[in-house]
Amino acid sequence: MSESNTVDFVTYEYPLNEKIRSWLRLETLLQQVYELSHITSYTSGIAFLRSVCELIEILDRGEVRSDLIKELEKHRKRLAVWAEAPNADNQLISSLLNDLSAKTANMNSVPRFGQQLRNDKIISMVRQRLTIPGGCCSFDLPTLQLWLHMPQEQRNPIIKDWLDGLTPLKDTLDTILNLLRHASSFETKECHNGFYQDSVEDKELLRVRLSIDKLIYPQISGHKTRFAIRFLHIDSENGIVPTIMTFELSCC
């Protein structure tokens, strides 16, 4: 997922394993669901429900809960080791350990993620129609048309229940990805003729930061041990990539 760090830079991310790939997609869908949850029109309502349905598909593909709990435990053990290091910030580490413990407890206490969404009749109707282009037109789903024209204050409690059921998942995923992203700092690198390659070991996420004014983006490929980056101009016919160009790279 790409994200804006400042007005002048864009950060591009590339997962080096399937677990992180799934989590980044899950993060993107959760952001969409929360940001679109205030429905202002029929169109925004369809966009919100489409994101909800895609989220359910992701949750149905694997053991999201168990994988996240394992990751919380891995970070807890790592922090415990760091606490023994000289000059360790034990107050910060203690705070992080308490937060990880709270997240683990929350994950263990909630029912299956997305179960409320799966059981909802409106969402089920939409899920059945998403494979049809334009399948959520008002004449196809008059029940949905009525629901989306209800006053927002009548829909709010329903949507709040949906989001409340997702909050432990979102909080835990945000914590884990935040720890991962801050596990490494950005370093300035140099590429030649728009190409850069390197090797990595025990890394899960690549982050490339570029100035937006160059209108250049990275096309990244890689796996557990090696990766390559091809830098391309957004104008593929007329744009120019400098022969020598610097960029920032973080291997997390």
Side-chain angles (χ1 to χ4, degrees):
M1 181 194 69
S2 64
E3 61 182 18
S4 293
N5 283 30
T6 69
V7 175
D8 301 318
F9 290 89
V10 180
T11 300
Y12 304 86
E13 297 184 335
Y14 185 82
L16 291 173
N17 59 51
E18 192 58 36
K19 177 187 70 177
I20 302 301
R21 186 183 304 275
S22 296
W23 287 356
L24 291 179
R25 287 177 174 156
L26 187 56
E27 178 190 44
T28 298
L29 286 172
L30 284 166
Q31 288 174 346
Q32 291 176 8
V33 166
Y34 276 78
E35 290 179 15
L36 293 169
S37 61
H38 183 74
I39 297 171
T40 58
S41 66
Y42 192 90
T43 302
S44 68
I46 294 297
F48 167 68
L49 290 169
R50 180 180 293 274
S51 294
V52 168
C53 294
E54 291 182 3
L55 177 62
I56 294 173
E57 294 299 319
I58 292 287
L59 293 175
D60 284 345
R61 289 179 187 173
E63 296 297 326
V64 175
R65 182 206 300 272
S66 61
D67 288 344
L68 289 173
I69 290 175
K70 289 176 184 176
E71 193 73 12
L72 288 171
E73 178 62 17
K74 184 178 80 174
H75 285 292
R76 192 194 66 78
K77 290 180 178 178
R78 183 178 297 165
L79 286 170
V81 172
W82 289 352
E84 302 298 324
N87 303 319
D89 188 340
N90 288 313
Q91 184 175 355
L92 174 60
I93 291 175
S94 177
S95 175
L96 289 171
L97 285 171
N98 289 336
D99 183 55
L100 293 179
S101 296
K103 294 290 192 304
T104 301
N106 287 338
M107 292 285 284
N108 284 319
S109 64
V110 297
R112 185 185 180 197
F113 290 129
Q115 193 58 44
Q116 281 181 299
L117 307 179
R118 296 180 185 90
N119 294 337
D120 187 87
K121 292 181 180 179
I122 295 292
I123 295 175
S124 295
M125 289 179 188
V126 174
R127 291 185 74 189
Q128 293 170 12
R129 306 292 301 181
L130 284 181
T131 56
I132 304 171
C136 293
C137 283
S138 58
F139 62 82
D140 287 310
L141 297 174
T143 307
L144 174 63
Q145 183 180 10
L146 172 60
W147 191 80
L148 290 176
H149 280 87
M150 289 165 51
Q152 178 72 22
E153 57 268 20
Q154 289 184 244
R155 289 192 304 266
N156 278 342
I158 299 171
I159 295 175
K160 183 179 183 301
D161 283 343
W162 294 347
L163 299 185
D164 286 348
L166 296 172
T167 297
L169 169 63
K170 185 177 185 301
D171 288 348
T172 298
L173 187 63
D174 286 348
T175 296
I176 289 174
L177 291 178
N178 187 54
L179 288 170
L180 177 61
R181 286 168 176 140
H182 287 84
S184 177
S185 57
F186 282 98
E187 298 179 3
T188 300
K189 302 291 183 179
E190 187 176 86
C191 72
H192 296 262
N193 298 314
F195 184 76
Y196 180 87
Q197 64 179 350
D198 203 350
S199 59
V200 290
E201 186 175 347
D202 298 326
K203 301 297 181 180
E204 297 187 294
L205 180 68
L206 299 178
R207 309 185 77 210
V208 175
R209 190 157 65 190
L210 287 169
S211 172
I212 197 170
D213 60 5
K214 293 186 175 69
L215 297 181
I216 292 172
Y217 64 94
Q219 191 174 73
I220 308 172
S221 60
H223 50 80
K224 292 181 179 180
T225 59
R226 293 193 64 81
F227 68 91
I229 307 174
R230 174 71 65 184
F231 292 93
L232 304 170
H233 198 281
I234 195 168
D235 184 346
S236 58
E237 294 183 2
N238 303 308
I240 297 175
V241 177
T243 303
I244 299 177
M245 186 184 78
T246 60
F247 66 98
E248 292 182 82
L249 174 68
S250 175
C251 302
C252 307

